[in-house]
Amino acid sequence: YTVPAAGGRATQVALAGREPRWAPDGSRIYYRGDTWTGQIASVPARGGEETPVPIQSEYPDARLVVAFPSGSNDVSPDGRTIVFTGFYRDSQEAPGGSIIFTVPSEGGMARALTDPTEGNASNPCWSPDGRWIAYTRQSSLGSQEDEEICLAPSEGGPPKQLTTGTDQVGFTEVAWSPDGSTIAYFGQDDTIRSISAAGGTARVLTGVSEASWRLGLSWSPDGARLAYTDFEQILVVPATGGDPEVVPTGFEGGVLQLDWSPDGQTFAFMGVRGGEEEVWLMSDFLDLIKTGG
């Protein structure tokens, strides 16, 4: 749906979907479509016909499924490639575990970037220059005790670990700042933190509620602020840290994945109410533009 931040008539954008992500030119929204088939689809930013992104597996007997949560389906800066977390089903030959893949945005053969023997990978996110993909990695499935943020070359090659245990990486999405200098993430200790993409010590920007799903985190296009979801709210905090501001949505229900549009005027987010998943748009950030850019 589309809805002004101050409230108004809602217009439907998609029937269902999870993890919405904007195309770099703002023309389309990519998202994880049907819950059971676990595939990626896109829809025009103002609504219209859903277009599936067909994903082919290198294993003939395997079906490649986009994981949820933590699938991400993030679109590359040039709009040509999607990165996502996937796993193989119905195969005796394909490896197990969660793997980071890339696939052309119009569909095609998926290419694996991570090795499942090194840990389960999830939450991939493109660097602004398209050279790197940040993601989280767990040595033990379902454990937050050994989760770290890693960087993988987008063209393939050995990944490198960015964080250590003291950086409190939890089950989290990651988000690059627009200039590529910083990566933000949710911490195990109910915080939002940021760390230099070159490495170093993470710092706390703000706290989140214990009930937060930690599944929505997005930088403003100017890099000055971070938007995030916290259970039933969307909030915005300065990139330097401080007190967050609640953004009124007019939506009554759970708010999960979030993505800020390239022009800075609109949010796409996943809303959940009555057991149904919906893709929403929210625009007209008049108060936020006046106070922060």
Side-chain angles (χ1 to χ4, degrees), residues 189-205:
D189 54 350
D190 299 326
T191 61
I192 293 177
R193 295 172 173 245
S194 66
I195 189 169
S196 169
T201 302
R203 63 191 184 97
V204 175
L205 302 182

Side-chain angles (χ1 to χ4, degrees), residues 204-231:
V204 175
L205 302 182
T206 190
V208 296
S209 70
E210 187 176 352
S212 171
W213 284 311
R214 305 179 188 180
L215 291 175
L217 189 61
S218 183
W219 291 81
S220 63
D222 62 7
R225 292 166 292 161
L226 271 164
Y228 62 98
T229 65
D230 194 345
F231 198 52

